C-alpha cells in the first residue's frame, strides 16, 4: 500500500542494504518514490534488490569520488532526475581515545565525513539547476552531544551536523532544503547481534536505561522521520537536525 506522497520523485539512499538505510528504501517505496539504493556490500544489496525489484541498486563506496558520481548518474539515467538524497552510509567504530588509531580516524572520516560531503555535493549538482530538492543527512546523538568512547565516530557525526547547518544556508536560494536526523541507539542487525555476545546483554540493558522512553528505536521510526523531512509537509524546515532518540538528548 502506498500513500503516493513521493510519486514520480527519485530518492537516492546511501548505505541502503541494511539497518536504517534499508528501512528508508522500504519507506520511500511505500510512499510511491522511485528509489535508488546504493551500498558497498553488493551481496546484501542484491538481496534487497530481489525483495524490492522496482528499486535501482548501485554498488558504490561513498568514500570514492568516482563511485559517488556514478551512483548519482545512475539515478538520473534511470529516472531522469534526483529529488531527494538520504545520506546515510557510515560505519560505527567505538573505542576509547587511547585505543583509537590514526587508521581508525582516517577510515571513519573517509566514509562518514568525506562520503557524506561527496554525496551532498554531487546530489546538489543535479538539484541546483532544477531549483528544488531535499537532502537528509544521518547524524547521531553522538553528533549532537559528547559521549565516551566515540572520539572518531562522534567527531565524524559532528561533520554531518555541520554539513546540515552550512548547506541549508548555502542551498536555500536554490530551493533545496537540507536537514538531518540524529538517531539514538536503533535496533539494527548489529545491535541485535550484541544480545548473543559476551557482555552484550548487560551493555544493551544499560543503553536502554539511558533512553527515557525505556527502549531502543526501530529503523522504521528513523525512516519515517527522514520521509517527513524530505516531504512537502516540512516545506518550511531547513537546517534542522531532528533527534529520533527516545528522549536521550533531552536529559
Amino acid at each position: 500500500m502506498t500513500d503516493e506522497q513521493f510519486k514520480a520523485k527519485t530518492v537516492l539512499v546511501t548505505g541502503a542494504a541494511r539497518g536504517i538505510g534499508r528501512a528508508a528504501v522500504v519507506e520511500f517505496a511505500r510512499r510511491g518514490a522511485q528509489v535508488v539504493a546504493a551500498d558497498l556490500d553488493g551481496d546484501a544489496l542484491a538481496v534487497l534488490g530481489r525483495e524490492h525489484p522496482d528499486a535501482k541498486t548501485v554498488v558504490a563506496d561513498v568514500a570514492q569520488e568516482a563511485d559517488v558520481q556514478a551512483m548519482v548518474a545512475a539515478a538520473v539515467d534511470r529516472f531522469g532526475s534526483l529529488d531527494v538524497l538520504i545520506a546515510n552510509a557510515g560505519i560505527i567504530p567505538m573505542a576509547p581515545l587511547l585505543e583509537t588509531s590514526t587508521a581508525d580516524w582516517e577510515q571513519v572520516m573517509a566514509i562518514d565525513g568525506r562520503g557524506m560531503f561527496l554525496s551532498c555535493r554531487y546530489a546538489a549538482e543535479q538539484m541546483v539547476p532544477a531549483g528544488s530538492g531535499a537532502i537528509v543527512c544521518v547524524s547521531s546523538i553522538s553528533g549532537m552531544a559528547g559521549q565516551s568512547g566515540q572520539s572518531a565516530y562522534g567527531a565524524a557525526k559532528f561533520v554531518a551536523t555541520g554539513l546540515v547547518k552550512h548547506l541549508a544556508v548555502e542551498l536555500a536560494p536554490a530551493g533545496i532544503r537540507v536537514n538531518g536526523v540524529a538517531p539514538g541507539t536503533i535496533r539494527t542487525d548489529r545491535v541485535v547481534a550484541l544480545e548473543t555476545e559476551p557482555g552484550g546483554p548487560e551493555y544493551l540493558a544499560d543503553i536502554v536505561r539511558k533512553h527515557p522512553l525505556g527502549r531502543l528505536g526501530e529503523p522504521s521510526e528513523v525512516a519515517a522521520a527522514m520521509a517527513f523531512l524530505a516531504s512537502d509537509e516540512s516545506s518550511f524546515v531547513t537546517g534542522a537536525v531532528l533527534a529520533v532518540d527516545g528522549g536521550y538528548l533531552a536529559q
Side-chain angles (χ1 to χ4, degrees), residues 37-205:
D39 201 286
L40 181 59
D41 188 336
D43 291 339
L45 197 60
V47 173
L48 174 67
R50 288 193 291 272
E51 294 177 3
H52 299 277
D54 291 337
K56 167 70 173 176
T57 58
V58 182
V59 177
D61 179 355
V62 296
Q64 302 301 319
E65 189 164 8
D67 280 19
V68 176
Q69 288 177 286
M71 76 181 184
V72 171
V76 175
D77 290 346
R78 173 70 176 269
F79 297 116
S81 65
L82 179 58
D83 303 290
V84 176
L85 168 68
I86 304 298
N88 167 70
I91 57 173
I92 312 177
M94 294 186 184
L97 174 63
L98 299 184
E99 296 176 15
T100 300
S101 68
T102 302
D104 295 332
W105 173 271
E106 295 292 349
Q107 184 184 33
V108 72
M109 286 298 170
I111 298 170
D112 297 37
R114 183 171 73 231
M116 188 162 292
F117 162 75
L118 289 171
S119 298
C120 292
R121 187 250 185 266
Y122 285 103
E125 187 175 66
Q126 296 296 323
M127 294 174 179
V128 167
S132 65
I135 295 173
V136 181
C137 296
V138 178
S139 181
S140 166
I141 54 175
S142 304
M144 303 289 286
Q147 292 181 291
S148 179
Q150 299 192 24
S151 58
Y153 173 70
K157 285 305 179 181
F158 268 94
V159 171
T161 300
L163 278 171
V164 166
K165 300 295 184 180
H166 291 281
L167 296 186
V169 173
E170 180 174 335
L171 297 176
I176 301 166
R177 296 184 301 108
V178 184
N179 291 292
V181 291
T185 304
I186 305 301
R187 195 181 296 278
T188 61
D189 292 346
R190 180 66 190 96
V191 170
V192 170
L194 290 172
E195 296 174 355
T196 62
E197 295 177 7
E202 295 79 10
Y203 172 79
L204 285 175

